[in-house]
Amino acid sequence: MVSASIPVANERVAVLAFNPSNQLAVMSRDGRYESAFQGEDLDAVNAELHRSFPEHTPSAEYFCTTAEGTPVRVFFSQVPASSGVIAGGCEFRSLAELEASPESLSPTLAAILAGIDPYLIEIPYLHLGENDFIYKFRTEKSRNRGIYQLDDAARTLYQSKLCAAIKALARTHERTAAAPVALDFGAVQYLLPSHFGFCLGVKNAIERAYETLAENPTRRVFMLSELIHNPFVNEDLLRRGLRYLQTDKGKPHLASGGVARGEPGEVTLWDTLTSEDIVIIPAFGATDDDKRRLVRKGVPVYQYDATCMLVEKVWKAARALGQEGYTVVIHGKHEHEETKATFSNARRHAHAVIVRNLEETRRLGELITSRDPAERAKFYSEFAGKHTPGFDVDRDFARIAIVNQTTLLMNETLEIIDHLREVFSALYGDTEATARVGGGGKRDTLCYATQVNQDALSRALAEPLDAAFVIGGKNSSNTYQLYRLCEQRLGKRAFFIQSEANIQSRDAVEHYVFPAKGPVGGHGHDMVEIHPLPVGESGRPFRVLLTGGASCPDGIIQQVITRINSLFPATSLRSVDAVLADVESAAASR
């Protein structure tokens, strides 16, 4: 919102003009830098901004400060890219450069930079409205399919004629699950759900990462952390020159290699960043703290932000609920990148607390309903690191609303909503509870891609099966949720694997043990169990369900099929071409 131009005696106005790399337009006067656009009258300052940059976002007021006893109103504007010194001696400098030499700053600019931190997150997105998304999904016609065919390695990883044929046959609607598709190889019969593998958010992130590498062969290209939770995709990008700034748990990588331990003298990749570097924000999004660091470095943020728009939809919901006076309860895993980003966004607009599951929600409900101050005070220790600073149990549980990590089971989120409604109904009655618990019965923050994969899998699990293989990164939350559905139906005959390499033989299949309650004993996601393959009764085909998480490439699914087939006599199997012809024929006659 542009503030009215009402001059006030002894007041100054500074319009901070940032380029797409988040560098500030400054001028040097008497050996000191100051904002390039400042004065005593807002209209005059805006006119000067317009003369220098005819295209710019409207000046919006963000905060006030005081320099040498004079009030200073601080406005932000985004201007086009330019290099070097422009008209009038204006040049662009990163905030980190300016802050590194405080003696080179004018008193006004020094005061402005001292108070700018809370507003840094706004700078990359000044051109966006509240309802705009950072990046919308590409349509099918605008997908960059050539990215998946860069070379043999990419084709092997991403391409599968069988999977493509299944999707063409079964996916009559992107958001609606259909009947599973059977692949009859003779001795082995596979059942694949109508929906599996890459979702649109993952496709978008992968395509943008490969495109960025191809378009910037002379620049360093980093990923903030893992692009997606699939080691083979991440390894292929590393092979092509991508580097990671930090681990998926936020630990910085050292410039010399390895992970920082916090020892004196360590130089991290973060420390080496310059405005010439590119940092891609993954599909999970990023915390405000990480974005502020990038802004300070003068690194482009918006242009390489691959946050899934369905994740951003959760952020917008949390913002709206916070603005309505609700405390935001986030159903998620506090150590997961997406939940950390959602929590970071929510805390700008409301107090927030993270609950992992229904069990933790029940404990939260006990603390909310307790009338014993000592019992209620246990909230701060039991939910340490999972609530916003300054949280007040007595004040901030008066009204709550629930949003979720998009990769979890929908039914569990709905159970959490229902349980908290019951808690508030017991306290206030049904009518009052309806007003005090926002999000009750709503599914606005549930990712449709995650849900349709789960719905399609449930339909496939209704069929007779000997085993099920769920394929995805061992730290992939949405893949684990698919495994949970299979494990409920098949027990030890359900396997959570990363690739065909986990199927060692008929007697040894490596099954990953996902730490649903968080990393335990330092083992994290590296725990595996060895199980035999339940090949079923002799004299009938081995019936196996296959599905992949939202970050599982189609090529790996086909490689798993090839591996399982190799455990059976070749003479008992039909060829891939024959099976593919069956699926294509079914699609043609649909």
Side-chain angles (χ1 to χ4, degrees):
M1 179 178 178
V2 181
S3 296
S5 177
I6 303 176
V8 177
N10 298 320
E11 175 187 83
R12 291 190 64 78
V13 170
V15 177
L16 305 188
F18 294 95
N19 67 11
S21 292
N22 307 306
Q23 297 169 310
L24 176 63
V26 294
M27 299 183 73
S28 179
R29 289 195 178 97
D30 301 323
R32 290 189 174 186
Y33 283 116
E34 61 183 30
S35 171
F37 306 101
Q38 61 180 9
E40 296 180 357
D41 180 77
L42 178 60
D43 287 342
V45 174
N46 276 331
E48 181 60 32
L49 172 68
H50 189 73
R51 280 192 291 272
S52 297
F53 298 98
E55 295 181 8
H56 61 85
T57 62
S59 300
E61 187 167 9
Y62 277 88
F63 67 101
C64 294
T65 187
T66 302
E68 297 184 320
T70 302
V72 182
R73 297 168 62 193
V74 182
F75 295 73
F76 291 173
S77 179
Q78 193 175 80
V79 299
S82 60
S83 59
V85 179
I86 61 174
C90 174
E91 56 186 295
F92 286 95
R93 290 284 181 267
S94 73
L95 299 181
E97 287 180 285
L98 296 169
E99 291 169 333
S101 303
E103 71 284 353
S104 70
L105 307 179
S106 71
T108 299
L109 185 56
I112 289 171
L113 296 187
I116 201 171
D117 188 76
Y119 313 99
L120 292 179
I121 187 63
E122 308 285 350
I123 293 171
Y125 310 105
L126 288 170
H127 61 296
L128 297 180
E130 275 199 353
N131 297 320
D132 292 331
F133 285 91
I134 295 169
Y135 195 89
K136 291 186 176 180
F137 292 148
R138 291 171 171 172
T139 64
E140 276 302 308
K141 290 183 179 179
S142 63
R143 298 238 73 90
N144 188 354
R145 293 178 177 81
I147 286 297
Y148 304 117
Q149 302 178 42
L150 295 173
D151 50 31
D152 287 343
R155 283 188 287 273
T156 299
L157 179 60
Y158 294 111
Q159 302 298 305
S160 166
K161 290 183 178 179
L162 277 175
C163 291
I166 290 169
K167 291 174 183 178
L169 170 62
R171 290 194 184 182
T172 55
H173 194 282
E174 186 65 34
R175 297 179 181 233
T176 305
V181 175
L183 303 178
D184 185 2
F185 278 87
V188 189
Q189 293 178 350
Y190 299 94
L191 202 66
L192 278 82
S194 62
H195 292 69
F196 60 87
F198 282 172
C199 64
L200 292 179
V202 167
K203 288 179 183 178
N204 170 65
I206 290 175
E207 289 175 13
R208 293 185 69 188
Y210 281 100
E211 288 167 353
T212 301
L213 285 168
E215 293 165 0
N216 298 277
T218 62
R219 298 173 69 180
R220 296 196 303 175
V221 179
F222 296 91
M223 185 70 65
L224 185 62
S225 61
E226 288 186 350
L227 174 69
I228 58 173
H229 285 158
N230 189 282
F232 305 102
V233 171
N234 292 321
E235 287 166 10
D236 190 68
L237 286 164
L238 288 172
R239 183 173 63 85
R240 299 177 193 278
L242 188 76
R243 301 176 75 181
Y244 294 130
L245 282 180
Q246 58 195 30
T247 69
D248 62 342
K249 298 297 178 285
K251 295 182 178 180
H253 285 293
L254 295 171
S256 58
V259 179
R261 297 172 179 263
E263 298 174 356
E266 288 182 335
V267 178
T268 69
L269 288 173
W270 272 104
D271 297 327
T272 71
L273 282 183
T274 74
S275 57
E276 294 301 310
D277 294 322
I278 293 171
V279 178
I280 301 170
I281 293 174
F284 314 110
T287 64
D288 286 358
D289 285 344
D290 283 340
K291 287 185 177 180
R292 287 190 189 101
R293 293 179 74 182
L294 295 174
V295 169
R296 274 204 153 86
K297 291 278 189 179
V299 174
V301 173
Y302 166 75
Q303 301 91 314
Y304 302 104
D305 191 338
T307 301
C308 173
M309 65 180 292
L310 296 180
V311 172
E312 194 182 356
K313 185 178 180 182
V314 178
W315 299 352
K316 291 181 183 299
R319 179 190 67 202
L321 292 165
Q323 290 172 343
E324 292 174 18
Y326 290 101
T327 288
V328 177
V329 177
I330 303 169
H331 172 210
K333 300 169 182 177
H334 73 277
E335 75 277 5
H336 192 283
E337 302 101 308
E338 181 191 324
T339 296
K340 287 190 288 188
T342 297
F343 180 79
S344 180
N345 273 268
R347 64 181 288 182
R348 276 190 270 148
H349 311 285
H351 277 292
V353 60
I354 301 169
V355 293
R356 188 179 198 90
N357 49 32
L358 185 57
E359 176 186 355
E360 202 163 82
T361 304
R362 289 191 175 113
R363 178 55 182 154
L364 183 67
E366 292 171 357
L367 295 172
I368 291 173
T369 56
S370 175
R371 288 293 174 258
D372 180 355
E375 179 69 11
R376 287 167 69 83
K378 292 179 181 179
F379 168 82
Y380 301 107
S381 58
E382 295 183 22
F383 287 85
K386 301 177 184 180
H387 65 77
T388 46
F391 199 103
D392 187 314
V393 175
D394 296 322
R395 176 195 66 204
D396 297 322
F397 281 130
R399 300 176 75 213
I400 63 170
I402 300 89
V403 300
N404 71 306
Q405 180 182 321
T406 61
T407 55
L408 302 180
L409 287 176
M410 179 192 72
N411 288 340
E412 188 167 86
T413 297
L414 296 179
E415 286 174 349
I416 286 172
I417 293 172
D418 289 342
H419 181 73
L420 289 174
R421 284 181 61 83
E422 290 172 4
V423 167
F424 275 72
S425 291
L427 283 172
Y428 305 107
D430 293 344
T431 302
E432 182 71 10
T434 300
R436 287 178 176 266
V437 182
K442 295 183 180 179
R443 303 184 179 190
D444 290 349
T445 67
L446 297 167
C447 168
Y448 74 80
T450 297
Q451 187 55 44
V452 75
N453 279 5
Q454 294 172 7
D455 291 344
L457 177 60
S458 294
R459 293 189 65 165
L461 284 169
E463 302 287 333
L465 296 165
D466 292 310
F469 287 86
V470 182
I471 310 163
K474 59 187 177 182
N475 55 343
S476 169
S477 178
N478 81 85
T479 306
Y480 173 68
Q481 305 309 324
L482 298 177
Y483 163 73
R484 283 180 65 189
L485 294 176
C486 293
E487 190 268 342
Q488 290 167 9
R489 162 80 165 77
L490 297 168
K492 294 291 187 181
R493 293 180 291 141
F495 300 90
F496 182 1
I497 65 174
Q498 285 199 121
S499 74
E500 75 285 354
N502 296 122
I503 305 173
Q504 299 176 356
S505 68
R506 285 195 181 202
D507 299 320
V509 178
E510 291 182 331
H511 160 70
Y512 284 98
V513 180
F514 190 94
K517 295 187 178 181
V520 178
H523 292 291
H525 300 287
D526 295 324
M527 297 174 63
V528 296
E529 295 177 353
I530 304 297
H531 298 290
L533 192 66
V535 294
E537 303 170 5
S538 60
R540 69 164 177 80
F542 177 49
R543 296 170 301 203
V544 57
L545 183 151
L546 288 183
T547 192
S551 56
C552 178
D554 286 353
I556 293 180
I557 293 175
Q558 182 143 348
Q559 290 163 29
V560 169
I561 291 173
T562 300
R563 175 57 182 152
I564 294 175
N565 282 352
S566 73
L567 303 178
F568 294 82
T571 55
S572 67
L573 297 169
R574 300 175 66 212
S575 69
V576 172
D577 288 342
V579 174
L580 180 62
D582 291 347
V583 179
E584 291 175 339
S585 175
S589 61
R590 187 179 61 196

